[in-house]
Amino acid sequence: MATRALVNVPKLLRRGEVFEVRTLLGHPMETGFRRDSDGQMLPREVVTRLEAWLGDERVFAADLHLAVAANPYVAFPLQLQTGGTLRVRWTGDKGFDHTETLNLIVA
Amino acid sequence: MTGVWLVGVVGVVSVVLALQTGAAAADDRRSGLDFMTPATQALQRDDGLNPALLWVRGGEALWSTKAGRADKACADCHGAAERSMRGVAARHPAFDAASENPLTLAGRINACRVRHQQAPPWAAESEPLLSVEAHVAMASRGLPIAPPDDARLAPFRATGQALFNQRLGQLDLSCAQCHDGLAGRRLGGSVIPQGHPTGYPLYRLEWQGLGSLQRRLRNCLTGVRATVLPYGAADLVALELHLMQRATGMAVETPAVRP
């Protein structure tokens, strides 16, 4: 199953203006406390960290815990002086490591 | 003179009120969207928040992926789905002459896979099938549901209507009893919607994933403790046909979010 992730930014980005980066990741975020229909405990499989990098600078980081629901949505503010490459990286259990890259152009 | 003038005004006001009441009584159908809390409605209304968009993006990629012995992608024949698939979800299930049976949108997608791509059909409720179905159905978002005016569908629609009104299961409940008779009231804390298929396939918070109308119908059958029909069963397709007919004119909301 291919990992699906979406990173949304406003269409028009203005220099110095604060905007919101909205991320959505397709992931079951299984807590390890649920049982399936046969009564077997479903193993834990969660994403534990989200990091966002603009070029070489880390602009956002978050630790995700078991209470986060499936398909986690995380939004954070950002402000740009010049355009750049935004990389959003999710890491978690079972070696989960997914990165989405977005080219940001400033008007 | 004042008396006559007063009667005239009252007459005009009562006619206006009657017209307004008449118009309101004509269509009191409401989508499941109207029965949700504002927070859940916000999830559906915002494409940046709607988790179903994850599947739509997957479907978009699959639409352009070559498959089968014919080594063709959907896009090779149909072009961009946003244009070519506009209105398709609004008029399915539709009659398929080749199999002489009605086909749901998922059935139609699989039929295309087998006949035109020479690829094996995707399993019912599988991720690729749901993803492509969501991508195709989203092209009809905002359009009114328009079941085809096809006489060949009539016997299947009649079956669907009979099933809708049929008491089923250990709890001996029919669809109509709750979704026609008790819509707006509550079942164990959850609001009972009218049951219009305006947004399928949709992201259900209960499933934490995308699912089809047939998955929801199977959940209902489990709920009344009736025998759960397998995916693709003729009775489920007949029910889908009836539900779409019942929802004629309502706007497609795919991909919807439901609690």
Side-chain angles (χ1 to χ4, degrees), chain B residues 131-207:
Chain B
S131 302
V132 174
E133 196 185 336
H135 180 54
V136 168
M138 193 167 165
S140 297
R141 184 162 67 171
L143 295 175
I145 288 176
D149 190 15
D150 193 333
R152 295 171 298 179
L153 288 172
F156 302 95
R157 276 207 188 106
T159 307
Q161 185 170 23
L163 275 166
F164 190 80
N165 292 299
Q166 165 84 48
R167 282 179 181 266
L168 299 168
Q170 211 174 21
L171 299 189
D172 207 32
L173 287 169
S174 72
C175 316
Q177 281 178 280
C178 286
H179 293 290
D180 278 343
L182 297 170
R185 293 169 65 175
R186 286 174 180 270
L187 173 69
S190 309
V191 181
I192 301 169
Q194 292 179 356
H196 296 293
T198 47
Y200 280 92
L202 50 78
Y203 185 87
R204 207 164 175 221
L205 299 182
E206 185 190 296
W207 299 330

Side-chain angles (χ1 to χ4, degrees), chain A residues 1-2 4-6 8 22-28 69-71 73, chain B residues 46-55 57-58 127 131 203 208-209:
Chain A
M1 184 174 81
R4 303 145 308 168
L6 298 173
N8 286 308
R22 314 163 86 193
T23 72
L24 189 61
L25 175 71
H27 193 280
N71 307 311
Y73 166 82
Chain B
D46 191 336
D47 279 359
L49 282 173
N50 191 337
L53 269 287
L54 289 165
W55 278 262
R57 291 287 163 266
E127 196 181 291
S131 302
Y203 185 87
Q208 295 275 260

Side-chain angles (χ1 to χ4, degrees), chain A residues 9 12-17 19 53-57 59 78-87 101-107:
Chain A
V9 296
L12 186 62
L13 301 175
R14 272 183 254 271
R15 191 189 318 274
E17 189 179 275
F19 62 94
W53 297 77
L54 195 61
D56 290 328
E57 186 190 352
V59 293
L78 203 57
Q79 187 185 54
L80 295 176
Q81 297 304 323
T82 57
T85 307
L86 178 70
R87 276 183 302 119
T101 312
L102 202 63
N103 258 331
L104 299 180
I105 303 159
V106 171

Side-chain angles (χ1 to χ4, degrees), chain B:
Chain B
M1 277 306 284
T2 326
V4 171
W5 184 82
L6 260 169
V7 167
V9 166
V10 168
V12 168
V13 167
S14 50
V15 165
V16 168
L17 278 172
L19 278 172
Q20 285 179 327
T21 326
D27 195 359
D28 51 9
R29 294 179 304 173
R30 294 280 172 271
S31 158
L33 176 70
D34 293 345
F35 293 92
M36 302 197 309
T37 63
T40 323
Q41 289 182 345
L43 269 181
Q44 179 176 317
R45 292 203 165 107
D46 191 336
D47 279 359
L49 282 173
N50 191 337
L53 269 287
L54 289 165
W55 278 262
V56 170
R57 291 287 163 266
E60 204 175 349
L62 281 166
W63 184 259
S64 306
T65 305
K66 293 198 187 292
R69 281 184 288 123
D71 199 35
K72 279 168 133 183
C74 316
D76 291 342
C77 290
H78 293 290
E82 291 83 359
R83 278 184 293 102
S84 61
M85 294 291 113
R86 217 176 122 75
V88 170
R91 52 183 168 79
H92 270 76
F95 196 82
D96 175 49
S99 60
E100 291 183 5
N101 265 311
L103 274 183
T104 60
L105 184 57
R108 178 82 245 154
I109 292 165
N110 264 341
C112 267
R113 258 182 82 81
V114 169
R115 294 174 200 167
H116 304 294
Q117 291 176 302
Q118 277 103 58
W122 281 316
E125 214 66 13
S126 61
E127 196 181 291
L129 181 57
L130 283 171
S131 302
V132 174
E133 196 185 336
H135 180 54
V136 168
M138 193 167 165
S140 297
R141 184 162 67 171
L143 295 175
I145 288 176
D149 190 15
D150 193 333
R152 295 171 298 179
L153 288 172
F156 302 95
R157 276 207 188 106
T159 307
Q161 185 170 23
L163 275 166
F164 190 80
N165 292 299
Q166 165 84 48
R167 282 179 181 266
L168 299 168
Q170 211 174 21
L171 299 189
D172 207 32
L173 287 169
S174 72
C175 316
Q177 281 178 280
C178 286
H179 293 290
D180 278 343
L182 297 170
R185 293 169 65 175
R186 286 174 180 270
L187 173 69
S190 309
V191 181
I192 301 169
Q194 292 179 356
H196 296 293
T198 47
Y200 280 92
L202 50 78
Y203 185 87
R204 207 164 175 221
L205 299 182
E206 185 190 296
W207 299 330
Q208 295 275 260
L210 201 83
S212 66
L213 176 56
Q214 289 198 3
R215 179 174 178 180
R216 185 66 192 86
L217 294 175
R218 277 159 52 97
N219 287 173
C220 279
L221 291 171
T222 306
V224 298
R225 301 190 196 164
T227 308
V228 180
L229 297 165
Y231 283 111
D235 278 352
L236 284 179
V237 179
L239 257 174
E240 279 205 47
L241 259 172
H242 170 68
L243 288 172
M244 288 297 266
Q245 185 69 39
R246 185 170 163 263
T248 301
M250 296 177 75
V252 173
E253 292 168 21
T254 309
V257 175
R258 292 290 182 266

